[in-house]
Amino acid sequence: MQLLGPTSNTFISQRLRLHYVDWGNADKPPLLLVHGGRDHCRSWDWTAEALREDWHIIALDHRGHGDSQWTQDGNYRTMDLVYDVAQLIHQLDLAPVTIVSHSWGANTSLRYAGLFPENVRRIVAIEGLFPTPENEALIKDVPFARRVREFIGEKRKAAGRLPRRYASLEDAYARMKGENPYLTDAQARHLTLHGINRNEDGTFSWKFDPHLNVDGWPYDISTEQRNELWKAITCPTLLLNGADSWAGNPTRNGMADHFRNAEVIEFENAGHWLHHDQFDKFIATLKDFL
């Protein structure tokens, strides 16, 4: 039987039921795709379709995203996402695994690769090195107590905020296009269809937990601890960034210096979602590296 798309599956991590899709070919080397914040696993569909013949591809939905459960307390810490990635790799016996990851998912995956270097064959991190040195300097200028108070205030407001409702799919699609002008119409429609739920009254809302709109958890690991994890990565590492992104170039800002074996490639005419913005170039680069 020829399957056109992936199968839908779940696993348990810290009592949460989390979702992932499996693109088949279990006898091929495992390749894990890890999405970024307020995204979902089906944003990797184009990548999976381009690579599925040569790899056993798994793409997960982070907690609070896609078809995975939301946390009870509405808090999403990066190290909890690291635990989820570790749990998925352990449960499915994927190690040694190749990882392709984006943004928050890349930040998460790099930490995993530093904690369990023996479990990762190769890793691709798209726009995953943050906070940048410039943002770190700004954070250090804000007293810790003030940062925590501001976080508590934002979380309190989020608790009273209902998920936004769109009257039609077209309205949600327009919002998706507005977030990334590089997206083609086909890309924006696909990302919208897989990233939205229909409410009982016929309106539409994004699948991700609205608490994810509150940026920044004030108790994350230190910069020194993060750098130690990056230095512990032993596998070949590919760091990709978009020339038009806020995340910066890892070579120019010095963050690439914390890796043993990292190559940096910058994509022109691309922003934070460079794997969508310059898909053909991204796939060619990815195949060369893998």
Side-chain angles (χ1 to χ4, degrees), residues 38 70 74 150-165 175 205-206 208-215:
R38 290 172 288 188
W70 296 0
E150 290 176 350
F151 176 80
I152 290 172
E154 290 300 313
K155 292 294 289 185
R156 187 174 294 134
K157 285 190 287 186
R161 193 179 300 130
L162 295 176
R164 182 172 179 178
R165 297 190 174 216
R175 174 64 174 168
S205 296
W206 300 115
F208 65 79
D209 188 340
H211 275 272
L212 288 161
N213 286 312
V214 179
D215 291 328

Side-chain angles (χ1 to χ4, degrees), residues 51-228:
L51 302 177
R52 65 185 298 184
E53 297 301 321
D54 299 315
W55 297 88
H56 175 206
I57 295 177
I58 303 289
L60 88 154
D61 278 327
H62 289 302
R63 56 176 64 200
H65 296 74
D67 294 314
S68 287
Q69 277 188 305
W70 296 0
T71 64
Q72 288 295 314
D73 60 6
N75 290 321
Y76 295 91
R77 295 169 286 264
T78 302
M79 292 309 296
D80 287 330
L81 270 62
V82 173
Y83 184 94
D84 297 338
V85 168
Q87 184 71 351
L88 178 63
I89 292 172
H90 173 73
Q91 284 199 10
L92 300 187
D93 194 23
L94 298 179
V97 65
T98 298
I99 300 176
V100 178
S101 51
H102 173 237
S103 192
W104 195 13
N107 197 291
T108 296
S109 298
L110 289 170
R111 295 185 187 194
Y112 174 83
L115 287 166
F116 300 96
E118 70 279 7
N119 287 351
V120 184
R121 287 184 62 252
R122 289 176 181 264
I123 186 167
V124 179
I126 307 167
E127 295 267 313
L129 306 189
F130 52 81
T132 63
E134 295 81 8
N135 287 334
E136 286 178 346
L138 293 175
I139 292 171
K140 288 179 179 178
D141 286 341
V142 180
F144 177 72
R146 177 181 160 189
R147 279 193 282 129
V148 175
R149 288 198 304 269
E150 290 176 350
F151 176 80
I152 290 172
E154 290 300 313
K155 292 294 289 185
R156 187 174 294 134
K157 285 190 287 186
R161 193 179 300 130
L162 295 176
R164 182 172 179 178
R165 297 190 174 216
Y166 297 87
S168 68
L169 273 173
E170 289 300 315
D171 291 341
Y173 159 75
R175 174 64 174 168
M176 178 69 70
K177 282 280 285 185
E179 282 294 298
N180 184 6
Y182 282 108
L183 289 176
T184 66
D185 288 347
Q187 286 174 321
R189 288 188 180 279
H190 181 88
L191 294 171
T192 300
L193 285 173
H194 287 287
I196 208 160
N197 284 323
R198 190 159 198 177
N199 301 308
E200 190 173 359
D201 64 356
T203 61
F204 299 85
S205 296
W206 300 115
K207 289 180 177 180
F208 65 79
D209 188 340
H211 275 272
L212 288 161
N213 286 312
V214 179
D215 291 328
W217 177 262
Y219 318 114
D220 195 21
I221 62 175
S222 68
T223 299
E224 292 74 22
Q225 290 169 328
R226 180 203 66 188
N227 293 344
E228 286 176 10

